[in-house]
Amino acid sequence: MVARDDPTAAAAALEPGVDDLVRRVLAGETERFADIVRRHEREVWAVVSALPDPVLCENLLQQTFVNAFERLHQYRGDGLDLWLRRIARNLVTDELRRRAREGERLRHYANYLAVRFEAESTDDGERELAEAVRACRETLTSAPRRAVELYYDDGLSLERVAVALGRTVVATRQLLFRTRVALRECARRRLAHT
Amino acid sequence: MNERLDELTLRLADGLATPDEDRELEAMLAADERARRDHGDLLDVDRMLRRGRPPVGTVDRVMARVRTMTDVPRLPARRRPVLRIWGAVGLLAAAALLLFVGWRGRRPALQAGGEARAPESPLVELVGRRGTVNVRDANRIETAADGAATLRYRRDSRLEIGAGTSLSAVEGASGDILRLAHGSLTAFIARQPADRPLQIVTAEARIEVLAAVLRVAAAGRATSIAVTEGRASIERLSGGGRREVAAGQQALVTADERGGPAAAKPEAPEPAVVFSFDFEDGALPRRFPQGHVVSEGCPPGSSHCVLGTLEAKSSPNAPIFDSAIGVEGYKPPLFHYAPGMVLEFDYWAGVAVREIFVRAYDIDGVDNHKLYRGLRRTGTWAHARIRLRDLQPSDAKNQRRLIEGDAIGNLYVLAAGQPLYVDNLRLLEYAPDQLPESTSIDTE
């Protein structure tokens, strides 16, 4: 049993692989931190991308790793992905609280995410949900699929999606509205069968 | 299902909800458990869709910030005793070693005793890339054999970095210095201060530029330059004098010769290839959302080409079908527009096709740009050469033409009718003095 607050023992208990990278960064190989970012950016993105502001999401993605770098000596070797996600969740929550105070507009969103973040730390429902949405997305026909790709994967604004698809903004908004509601119903059906 | 609730939820998710809509949503959620479930499930879908891919370049941006931090993490000195005495000695030794190595490995503060500051880089911004491009730090760029990059340089200058190039930039006492280890670049150098010319240094030569457009290539113990606008001077590093190179002239310096740089035989430089698809492997490239690879009906000597996908267009009288072949990329963009760009392709249009057109989507200008051309000959293979500078905004109210550096998200070849076959689709970038005089669409 390793004493949780003993950094030396914790360093010795680190697993090879990712934790070995942590050890090397702590030993002064700063450039190895790039490997940590590369391995975990997708997991951190899954947390920060929940915010409805792409620029803010990108900033928080970077800030998560910068904060992690600053506090790397506090990492206890109990799963770097969990540790990074915790930092990311705290950043997202702080940002939502700040914005909710400023304008009250994102209070619903803050409440919603607080519940989801709590659930995420205790069960694997998130994974099932992600899989259900992914599978439902596969069933979309050409136009809705392209709209979702352009809007979510490529980060284009609604206006730009409309131009890229050769449709009006109103028609594109309707298309994205119908598509997302359809995905919700599809995901519900899939989750009900699991 | 409450459509108004779903609409408000998605406006919230899209960041578009007004305070009034927010209050309306709050009232709906407070009154109804089912509404709360529908709301949460819809936000779940939106959240899962947002997960996609993390933004390109995150590693580089994080590392650029990390490198400027002077207080790097290290193992803390505080320790607690472990229970097993015989292990304590070994762990203490390990801790001491890690602390020692960690201390030795600390980066020194960039400014002694002061606030840490990243060194200023003359390379202002990486604005476009294709293939594999490594940004080693703020001052060093490397492109792989499939890579190319566009860099904005300070004082309104620009560098087009070719494939297989290694380049670094430093701020020297007498002006900026670009070190070209190997590879090629086309430099669009805006006016530099008279006493601080930009220097491009290779293993063999030093080139000084005050204002010019020039291409520099360093490979095989030789450096060549070709000036298309302005003038530059080149000298052999091992001595032998300096040579002035004016617009339309070229010069060559090799490591094995003595004396001053030799004038090279002027010849038209090859246009840079932005992208090129010959479809010979029989697979539709991933970036093509429209088009089908076929093996029948292709031009002589070609095993595969692309048949346009039919797109229905609404018409009050009868359905109209366009044939569409498109290539696209948004994040990063397909390419950044430059006035010397020319789209070339071979095509075969059915006899009923009266018109062919090219459409490019400008992400920065949020508009499609098009060029229509009537066909005089159909039912035979022909060659098209479309200057992108000839494209017009499709929105009649929008007078904004394509501007150099605009991010382009997609590029389509379309025909009003069917069928349309296309092969050897290439986007080339010509030097300003080599650009074809006009768009042509009927050449064999």
Side-chain angles (χ1 to χ4, degrees), chain B residues 271-338:
Chain B
V273 178
V274 180
F275 62 68
S276 176
F277 300 100
D278 62 12
F279 313 106
E280 288 302 278
D281 62 0
L284 190 68
R286 193 174 55 83
R287 286 185 156 194
F288 280 71
Q290 301 270 36
H292 309 278
V293 172
V294 294
S295 56
E296 299 287 327
C298 298
S302 176
S303 64
H304 293 88
C305 54
V306 176
L307 172 65
T309 301
L310 292 184
E311 275 190 346
K313 294 178 71 175
S314 59
S315 162
N317 302 318
I320 299 173
F321 290 97
D322 279 348
S323 299
I325 292 159
V327 53
E328 67 180 28
Y330 295 94
K331 217 172 177 183
L334 189 57
F335 61 89
H336 289 266
Y337 169 74

Side-chain angles (χ1 to χ4, degrees), chain A residues 63 105 112 146 152 188, chain B residues 17 38 44 46 65 67 328:
Chain A
Q63 196 58 47
R105 288 181 52 197
Y112 154 76
R146 285 300 298 139
Y152 284 102
R188 278 175 166 169
Chain B
D38 287 348
D44 276 345
D46 173 71
R65 289 177 64 182
R67 289 187 193 103
E328 67 180 28

Side-chain angles (χ1 to χ4, degrees), chain A residues 42-97:
Chain A
R42 194 174 277 270
E43 292 150 14
V44 173
W45 179 248
V47 177
V48 300
S49 61
L51 286 172
D53 180 341
V55 176
L56 179 61
C57 293
E58 286 200 38
N59 289 342
L60 291 184
L61 176 64
Q62 289 178 42
Q63 196 58 47
T64 298
F65 285 109
V66 169
N67 288 4
F69 180 75
E70 282 178 324
R71 302 172 200 162
L72 203 56
H73 60 283
Q74 296 172 1
Y75 170 58
R76 299 295 182 226
D78 47 357
L80 191 62
D81 53 342
L82 291 175
W83 189 66
L84 288 168
R85 288 165 71 90
R86 208 155 45 232
I87 294 174
R89 278 202 297 268
N90 289 339
L91 280 172
V92 169
T93 306
D94 289 349
E95 185 63 30
L96 278 171
R97 279 196 193 122

